Structure formats: C-alpha cells, structure tokens
Amino acid sequence: MKLDQIDNKLLELLQEDSKKTTKEYALKLGLSTTAIYERIKRLEREGAIRSYVALVDKTIVNRNFTVFCHVKLVQHVKDNIAQFEAQVMRLQEVVECHHLSGDYDYLLKIHVKDMEAYRHFMVNKLTTMNHIGSTQSSFTIKEVKHSTAIPL
C-alpha cells in the first residue's frame, strides 16, 4: 500500500482523536467530506487502520502497577517458542509480548494492581508455564512518556 502525504496526515489526526467527524478532518486537510470518507474506508480496507479503541486510564481501573518482565526459555526451539507464545496470549495481565534478540527471549509488559498482585501473577501463572528458564522483572517508577501513535 502506498500512502501519500494526505494519508499520513489523516492517520496522524485519527491517532490523535478518532472520534471527530469526517467533516472536521476534511476541514483540517482542505478536502471534501466525501474524499476523507473514501480515504478512511480505503485505509481500513487495506489494513493501515486495524481497529478503533478507547484508551482506558489504568489508575481508574486499578491496574497502574506496570512491570516489564524479561523471560528466557530453557531452550530456544520452535516447539517451545510456539507453546510459550500460545500460553502468554491467554494471560490478561500481559498487554504486550515482544520476541527479542539478545540475552532474553521475550519482554512482557504487564499491568496489575500492585506488588502483591504481581507476585500472585508470577507464582500462579507465569512461572507455571512450560519451558521458562528464568525471568527478570523491572517495575515502573514513573511513566515519563506513553503514546499509542505510530510516528509517520
């Protein structure tokens, strides 16, 4: 898919606030409402826009204890990787999972209520999974920057 400057600007505006009307985007971009509507539909159809979501304040829902957990598998082989990834997909506390190069195989971003909840998660969920060799956890002191927007 080839994106032009208008597509990129439209994507930036949608990432900033996707609840505005097509007319508002059209006014900002100097195009007709129909042209903007057609561009949005094309971006959705071609997969540039995957979904629309509400960003929830983790403090209000009592999940503001953020942990980054490095995971090393006992052996980095295809079956272990597939099994670990399938299991981690079922853990609701894990909001991101990245397969890494380097000393650790995975980096998990986890949201829980507090340290006690994280301990419960580790003891009863994460460390019961097969093929985990070791973990190393880091806890967020302060979130300095957080963005869901992809820079264009």
Side-chain angles (χ1 to χ4, degrees):
M1 173 177 195
K2 181 96 167 117
L3 300 177
D4 63 20
Q5 288 181 344
I6 294 171
D7 290 331
N8 285 338
K9 185 61 180 163
L10 179 56
L11 288 170
E12 286 175 354
L13 292 170
L14 287 165
Q15 288 185 105
E16 191 177 296
D17 183 357
S18 66
K19 288 197 71 160
K20 290 187 177 181
T21 65
T22 307
K23 184 177 181 179
E24 290 176 286
Y25 299 127
L27 289 171
K28 285 194 178 210
L29 295 172
L31 294 173
S32 71
T33 304
T34 303
I36 294 299
Y37 175 83
E38 290 301 325
R39 280 180 182 265
I40 291 171
K41 289 301 169 197
R42 179 178 49 82
L43 292 167
E44 291 170 348
R45 189 174 52 253
E46 296 186 16
I49 298 172
R50 292 193 335 220
S51 67
Y52 297 91
V53 299
L55 301 177
V56 176
D57 186 319
K58 49 186 186 290
T59 302
I60 291 174
V61 296
N62 208 15
R63 295 291 181 272
N64 59 328
F65 191 74
T66 304
V67 183
F68 293 93
C69 181
H70 287 90
V71 176
K72 186 181 287 190
L73 301 179
V74 258
Q75 191 176 16
H76 198 94
V77 294
K78 187 177 180 178
D79 288 343
N80 294 2
I81 290 168
Q83 187 176 13
F84 174 79
E85 289 179 2
Q87 290 175 322
V88 83
M89 292 294 288
R90 292 189 295 268
L91 299 174
Q92 76 174 55
E93 297 88 349
V94 177
V95 296
E96 293 181 30
C97 176
H98 301 270
H99 193 174
L100 304 174
S101 64
D103 292 338
Y104 287 92
D105 299 315
Y106 290 92
L107 175 63
L108 308 179
K109 183 177 181 181
I110 301 160
H111 289 302
V112 290
K113 178 182 176 182
D114 53 23
M115 180 62 84
E116 185 178 325
Y118 183 63
R119 182 180 187 286
H120 183 269
F121 169 80
M122 284 294 289
V123 171
N124 296 297
K125 293 184 180 181
L126 190 63
T127 58
T128 64
M129 294 170 57
N130 297 329
H131 313 300
I132 292 183
S134 64
T135 64
Q136 179 181 332
S137 299
S138 298
F139 309 100
T140 298
I141 296 170
K142 176 184 176 187
E143 186 175 89
V144 177
K145 179 181 179 182
H146 174 89
S147 176
T148 60
I150 304 296
L152 302 171

